[in-house]
């Protein structure tokens, strides 16, 4: 089995505070994702970067805005594929499925933003396609929502995805496998 790490929407605009509130606990999230990235590269596992594109010119993740770029602390390698999407699931762009097929990927590991939107939708899309999927439970995050803290939302997403069949791993577990 070939496993790939999907890093979802870890874009500058979510962290810089220029066009929206910065991600709560953004620095620890980026640090965890850096550890995942280093582990995947060390093992030779494919890394696929997912980027969300918003239509409105003033939106934080508009493709012509600096916020669209991957956070510079993460530094994608030139050979690592980038998939741009405009809907929550990364599978909304057929290029993801084509890329997974080309790379022989049969298992996914997910991390990134936003827990209850793009991370959850991408996990659901993977499960619908029969792909064994793991979620790094401490390497995805969101903003507070509907009276719940960002941490509470993340915890709820972890529980819902585990109930749906996603395997939960910690950053430490993934990095030491």
């Amino acid at each position: 089995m070939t496993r790939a790490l999907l890093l979802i929407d870890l874009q500058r605009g979510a962290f810089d505070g220029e066009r929206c509130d910065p991600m709560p606990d953004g620095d620890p999230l980026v640090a965890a994702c850096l550890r995942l990235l280093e582990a995947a590269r060390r093992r030779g596992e494919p890394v696929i970067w997912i980027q969300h594109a918003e239509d409105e010119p003033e939106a934080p993740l508009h493709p012509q805005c600096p916020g669209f770029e991957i956070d510079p602390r993460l530094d994608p390698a030139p050979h690592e594929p980038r998939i741009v999407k405009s809907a929550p699931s990364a599978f909304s762009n057929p290029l993801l499925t084509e890329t997974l097929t080309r790379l022989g990927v049969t298992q996914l590991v997910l991390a990134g933003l936003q827990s209850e939107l793009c991370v959850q939708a991408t996990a659901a899309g993977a499960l619908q396609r029969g792909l064994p999927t793991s979620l790094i439970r401490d390497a995805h995050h969101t903003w507070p929502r509907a009276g719940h803290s960002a941490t509470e939302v993340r915890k709820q997403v972890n529980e819902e995805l585990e109930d749906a069949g996603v395997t939960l791993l910690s950053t430490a577990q993934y990095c030491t496998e």
Side-chain angles (χ1 to χ4, degrees), residues 14-105:
F15 302 101
D16 65 13
E18 291 183 19
R19 294 190 179 198
C20 67
D21 290 338
M23 174 63 48
D25 298 320
D27 290 341
L29 174 64
V30 170
C33 289
L34 274 170
R35 289 182 59 206
L36 299 172
L37 181 59
E38 290 166 2
R41 287 174 175 166
R42 182 178 66 249
R43 290 193 291 254
E45 293 178 357
V47 175
I48 301 171
W49 299 88
I50 308 299
Q51 287 174 269
H52 192 80
E54 295 178 301
D55 291 334
E56 298 171 20
E58 294 304 314
L61 304 181
H62 186 275
Q64 300 303 315
C65 172
F68 178 74
E69 293 304 317
I70 302 295
D71 188 285
R73 296 172 286 181
L74 294 166
D75 195 27
H79 69 278
E80 294 169 343
R82 293 186 189 201
I83 308 295
V84 176
K85 64 180 180 58
S86 57
S89 175
F91 288 98
S92 64
N93 184 337
L95 184 56
L96 177 57
T97 300
E98 293 170 22
T99 301
L100 296 175
T101 300
R102 179 175 49 81
L103 295 173
V105 172

